[in-house]
Amino acid sequence: MKNLGFIILLLTVLSCGTKTYISKDVAVAEIEKTISKIDANKKLKETITEGALTDKEGFKDIGTFKYYVFFDENTNELSKIKNTEITSKTITEAYYFSDNKLIFITSQIANTPIKKIYIQNKRVISKEHVNEEEEKLLLNKANRFQKAFKKIH
């Protein structure tokens, strides 16, 4: 009977294991530290693409865009994409990556609060001034930008 109790106790301990939980605040602080390192890294290669924005049909020019990509030239690891779109309003977005994973998005339309999305393990862990529709739009845009970068590099 003692052996059976010991086995049950052992199985319970092993099945639960030790779960590491990092609080949202700690994770956000780590992401912000990574963002600061990326912004301070002057060794990153920068490429710029400029062009016209058109309407949905692709016929009428409605504005311009300027798209910056920052990456490690030796490893082709993407670090940051900055996108600026100028139409009747100016939108500035930045997408940050670490270890080929999206970690942070910021977006601002002139004179409005800055939208921020913090991502860990492909999940949004925190956001500011972002509704569900905007979150989905920005995450999809980040995915398209990252795929375009991978296609070229």
Side-chain angles (χ1 to χ4, degrees):
M1 205 53 148
K2 288 182 183 180
N3 288 341
L4 182 60
F6 177 74
I7 291 172
I8 291 173
L9 178 63
L10 183 63
L11 288 174
T12 303
V13 169
L14 291 175
S15 67
C16 293
T18 57
K19 296 181 180 178
T20 305
Y21 176 75
I22 298 175
S23 75
K24 178 179 83 168
D25 294 339
V26 171
V28 166
E30 287 296 317
I31 290 169
E32 287 179 346
K33 191 185 306 181
T34 302
I35 291 165
S36 293
K37 287 179 184 176
I38 290 169
D39 285 340
N41 187 348
K42 301 301 178 200
K43 294 180 182 177
L44 294 175
K45 180 171 175 69
E46 176 183 357
T47 62
I48 303 171
T49 303
E50 297 180 73
L53 293 170
T54 60
D55 61 6
K56 290 181 182 181
E57 290 77 32
F59 297 116
K60 182 179 174 189
D61 286 351
I62 58 171
T64 61
F65 72 90
K66 193 179 266 190
Y67 177 82
Y68 302 82
V69 177
F70 300 86
F71 65 99
D72 184 308
E73 195 168 16
N74 296 323
T75 64
N76 281 332
E77 184 177 338
L78 178 60
S79 294
K80 178 181 174 182
I81 294 173
K82 182 179 175 191
N83 182 50
T84 303
E85 299 174 2
I86 301 170
T87 56
S88 59
K89 57 190 176 226
T90 299
I91 302 172
T92 304
E93 304 163 334
Y95 302 85
Y96 288 82
F97 301 84
S98 179
D99 296 324
N100 295 310
K101 295 177 189 150
L102 179 66
I103 60 166
F104 180 68
I105 301 171
T106 182
S107 176
Q108 185 175 28
I109 299 172
N111 301 318
T112 64
I114 298 172
K115 300 173 189 321
K116 296 179 181 181
I117 303 174
Y118 296 85
I119 301 112
Q120 185 179 48
N121 298 324
K122 297 182 179 181
R123 293 179 188 236
V124 173
I125 59 168
S126 182
K127 59 185 176 180
E128 298 173 18
H129 309 290
V130 180
N131 63 39
E132 295 298 319
E133 185 179 324
E134 293 166 327
E135 176 184 327
K136 187 176 180 180
L137 175 76
L138 290 167
L139 289 169
N140 286 336
K141 208 169 185 181
N143 189 36
R144 284 194 317 270
F145 286 152
Q146 188 175 26
K147 282 182 181 179
F149 174 80
K150 287 180 180 179
K151 189 175 183 179
I152 295 170
H153 298 90

